Amino acid sequence: MKHLFLFTFFLTSVIGFSQQNSPNIILMIGDGMGLTQISSGMYANGNQTALEESSFIGLSKTASANRLVTDSAASGTAMACGIKTYNGVLGIDTKNTPHKSILEFCKEKGYTTALLATSSILHATPASFYAKVASRREYETIAFQLSQHQVDYFVGGGKKFFIDRKDKRNLINEMTDYTFVETLEEYEASSGPKIGFLTYDEEPPSLMEGRVPSLNELTVSTLEKLKATEKPFFMMVEGSQIDWGGHDNNLDYVVSEFKEFDSTIRKVLEFAKEEGNTLVIITADHETGGLALTNGDIEKGKVRGSFNTGGHSATMVPVFSFGKHAALFSGIYENTEIFHKMYAALTKE
Ligand code: MG
Ligand code: ZN
């Protein structure tokens, strides 16, 4: 009896110890956020960015399995699952084998998980962390997979793919273990262990067109919830529309979306500093627009640029890291390494 007690005590302390050491992981993806997008936003923002607080910097090679120029599905899958795949594919490799994402590995370790995006939550980047589909355009299938998945907190657009479906199912009604909220106030007030906040029916508008709530407020509120669970967590936050500004060849669009993302990064780094035991990685899936900064005025916060394409480009993108195991992210490597480095941080003592 005494031995059993001691053994139980030993087990409890080992489990307690390993949970205590498992770092929180916060991955922040600026879609289409190459070095020029960052520079533009920085000069337009009084010559400063929260990224200057990061401890290590790396460069990520973004080519997909079949294209020098990746799309957000292949690059999202590379970072989320550690595999190169074809453009347009989510969570499945070139041999048709599905792969677990870092979010799924974290969940297996008892982590709480969260996904926040300023696009639809079904869009390629957030979907890389939970969906396994041959085409990123299968939004109803992706919504169904999210409904089965048990991501603890998710925020983004795309409501109509849950409720206005070809199969006539209402996924929101089916997801009985979730609290669904409609406003930031409701989100902040909700203490449900699982919360879905579908911010818009389809894609949220740009900030310039009045998108609310701000990514900043959503992130701060989510961090409070995650902290309250007293468990380690994985959170992915996407500044989705930096990319859309690039596709539109609209530098004001790029800069405004970057600024919101940058202020969110500032909040996340403040949290990580205060909390400790937290790894923060900030990167992009690819560059968008082939942007060159050609003129401007730092004093006036004005930037001028020219775009080379309405699509993505193949230039390497920066990776900024801060906190626990951040040193893993220095160097030059394939985007799949971002998964492997997060996985190493997750399993390291
Ligand atoms: Mg995206
Ligand atoms: Zn794009």
Side-chain angles (χ1 to χ4, degrees):
M1 190 63 194
K2 191 182 168 198
H3 281 100
L4 183 66
F5 171 77
L6 278 176
F7 181 66
T8 313
F9 179 77
F10 171 75
L11 256 187
T12 317
S13 31
V14 167
I15 290 166
F17 181 76
S18 81
Q19 276 252 332
Q20 229 170 40
N21 274 282
S22 303
N24 303 315
I25 301 178
I26 304 175
L27 174 62
M28 303 185 73
I29 302 176
D31 198 314
M33 188 183 75
L35 194 52
T36 324
Q37 283 77 5
I38 294 168
S39 308
S40 305
M42 179 186 73
Y43 293 132
N45 191 38
N47 197 21
Q48 56 185 355
T49 161
L51 292 166
E52 292 170 66
E53 299 291 311
S54 54
S55 314
F56 296 91
I57 300 172
L59 289 170
S60 163
K61 306 183 196 182
T62 64
S64 71
N66 63 329
R67 292 276 187 273
L68 175 66
V69 178
T70 190
D71 82 324
S72 293
S75 55
T77 299
M79 293 188 282
C81 305
I83 49 156
K84 294 275 184 182
T85 191
Y86 301 124
N87 282 9
V89 177
L90 291 169
I92 304 174
D93 70 17
T94 57
K95 306 239 166 19
N96 217 17
T97 306
H99 287 254
K100 265 187 215 162
S101 74
I102 187 69
L103 181 148
E104 290 163 333
F105 282 109
C106 284
K107 196 140 186 75
E108 280 182 2
K109 269 205 112 191
Y111 277 49
T112 309
T113 58
L115 292 175
L116 312 182
T118 55
S119 63
S120 148
I121 196 65
L122 313 170
H123 214 260
T125 313
S128 304
F129 292 84
Y130 62 85
K132 322 286 171 201
V133 285
S135 165
R136 59 181 285 181
R137 305 281 167 209
E138 293 171 34
Y139 290 127
E140 292 189 6
T141 307
I142 295 169
F144 178 74
Q145 292 186 2
L146 180 57
S147 79
Q148 302 285 304
H149 196 283
Q150 309 289 313
V151 176
D152 298 297
Y153 306 107
F154 62 86
V155 182
K159 189 176 186 179
K160 87 163 201 194
F161 300 102
F162 289 78
I163 56 177
D164 182 14
R165 301 167 53 83
K166 280 191 213 89
D167 62 12
K168 304 285 180 224
R169 293 171 77 151
N170 181 322
L171 300 181
I172 291 181
N173 289 346
E174 291 181 22
M175 294 167 78
T176 49
D177 47 348
Y178 279 81
T179 305
F180 279 90
V181 298
E182 304 274 339
T183 63
L184 177 66
E185 291 66 37
E186 283 177 32
Y187 185 67
E188 287 172 337
S190 176
S191 57
K194 294 181 185 294
I195 309 172
F197 182 6
L198 296 168
T199 52
Y200 287 85
D201 267 354
E202 296 184 55
E203 293 301 339
S206 67
L207 265 184
M208 297 192 300
E209 292 167 336
R211 182 180 66 244
V212 286
S214 75
L215 187 61
N216 205 325
E217 293 169 305
L218 288 166
T219 303
V220 168
S221 177
T222 306
L223 285 171
E224 281 167 12
K225 293 180 198 310
L226 291 166
K227 190 179 169 181
T229 66
E230 294 181 346
K231 288 200 285 183
F233 66 82
F234 172 85
M235 172 169 76
M236 194 288 294
V237 180
E238 186 196 20
S240 318
Q241 297 201 26
I242 300 167
D243 175 66
W244 301 355
H247 285 292
D248 282 1
N249 287 3
N250 180 338
L251 192 52
D252 290 339
Y253 191 172
V254 170
V255 165
S256 56
E257 296 292 335
F258 174 82
K259 280 186 180 173
E260 185 193 53
F261 192 55
D262 194 52
S263 69
T264 307
I265 295 167
R266 199 171 291 284
K267 291 289 181 194
V268 165
L269 292 177
E270 276 169 20
F271 174 91
K273 272 178 212 169
E274 207 176 287
E275 206 55 28
N277 199 33
T278 301
L279 166 64
V280 183
I281 307 118
I282 306 130
T283 188
D285 50 355
H286 51 72
E287 193 272 350
T288 305
L291 176 60
L293 256 187
T294 52
N295 207 339
D297 185 323
I298 292 180
E299 298 290 300
K300 292 179 182 151
K302 293 234 177 305
V303 282
R304 285 261 201 82
S306 75
F307 291 89
N308 278 286
T309 171
H312 302 162
S313 81
T315 186
M316 292 191 288
V317 292
V319 184
F320 305 88
S321 59
F322 178 90
K324 187 95 174 273
H325 305 311
L328 287 169
F329 293 83
S330 72
I332 301 179
Y333 42 82
E334 294 292 338
N335 54 4
T336 44
E337 285 303 306
I338 292 171
F339 164 87
H340 293 293
K341 291 171 193 296
M342 288 189 290
Y343 189 82
L346 179 68
T347 48
K348 231 173 178 163
E349 278 310 323

